[in-house]
Amino acid sequence: MTTLIDARAGFPQALAYEWIKFRSVRSLVWTTLATGAVPVLGAVFVAATGSLQPDDTVLGGSLSLTVVAQILAAVTGALLITGEYGSGTIRTTFAANPRRTTVLSAKVTLIAAVAYAVALASCALAYAVGDALLEDGKYAQGEPWPVLFGVAASFAVAALLGLAAGTLIRHSAGAVTAVIGVLLLPSLVGPLFGDAQRWVAGLSPTAALQKLTQTSDATAETVGSVGPWPSLLLVSAYTGALLLLAAGTLRRRDV
């Protein structure tokens, strides 16, 4: 019996349970599908409307709607745990596996892997669609490699940011509102911070994403002047800190 309990408490088993729960919750499945569909639909829309600026690239134009998809990834991360708090099934989860950090680690691994895989496949397809539909030679091609891997990583970071917010707030509406605020507010309030704007505006995963996609809208005034990869590292660092805070909080408080 002791062997069986220990086996159930292990990380592989916790990850398997999380995957089963993920597939069975409609809100998680639909938001994930929407995350994957939006970049491709955006590439088709941009090509059909011819709305690119002369200084846009094929890569930037094809990934025009990836910010929306990234927000959906963050919402998925938040719902991954707030849904269980809302339904009360989090008590069952912790009864089956009392090691709360193991449960959170499984959720972290699952949502990061799903967000990364979905984003990489979707954004690569969106780029291929945009490249096929846009007029040959009219726009610069951009540099898709290894940028697409960075774009996918920014989706995983956004999803983990949502998971951290959901773990700390424990309420779907509150967590979703908070994470959308983190994604959008730095670009909006950045100009209010004077010379510090280059850091404030670059704090959001959406800012890192816009820089990576090389869109003409990613100006220093709107997304900060920190480079795309340093911006992604900065966002990853504070997301990791928030996850550690969430893990500590999860261990200390009651369900």
Side-chain angles (χ1 to χ4, degrees), residues 71 74-79 82 162 165-166 169 171-182:
I71 292 174
V75 170
T76 306
L79 295 179
T82 58
I169 298 174
H171 187 273
S172 294
V176 169
T177 301
V179 76
I180 291 178
V182 172

Side-chain angles (χ1 to χ4, degrees), residues 14-128:
L15 183 59
Y17 293 159
E18 292 300 327
W19 174 237
I20 293 171
K21 286 187 290 184
F22 185 92
R23 290 182 299 161
S24 64
V25 178
R26 290 185 180 180
S27 60
L28 296 176
V29 172
W30 280 110
T31 52
T32 301
L33 291 175
T35 300
V38 165
V40 181
L41 295 176
V44 174
F45 178 80
V46 167
T49 58
S51 56
L52 290 184
Q53 299 299 315
D55 57 344
D56 269 320
T57 64
V58 173
L59 177 66
S62 302
L63 302 184
S64 293
L65 292 188
T66 47
V67 169
V68 177
Q70 191 188 50
I71 292 174
L72 289 171
V75 170
T76 306
L79 295 179
L80 182 63
I81 191 165
T82 58
E84 288 191 66
Y85 277 111
S87 64
T89 55
I90 194 71
R91 296 180 182 278
T92 305
T93 298
F94 289 148
N97 189 349
R99 299 176 180 175
R100 298 186 179 189
T101 53
T102 300
V103 173
L104 183 60
S105 298
K107 290 182 183 294
V108 166
T109 303
L110 175 67
I111 194 62
V114 169
Y116 189 92
V118 169
L120 183 59
S122 173
C123 292
L125 180 59
Y127 171 64

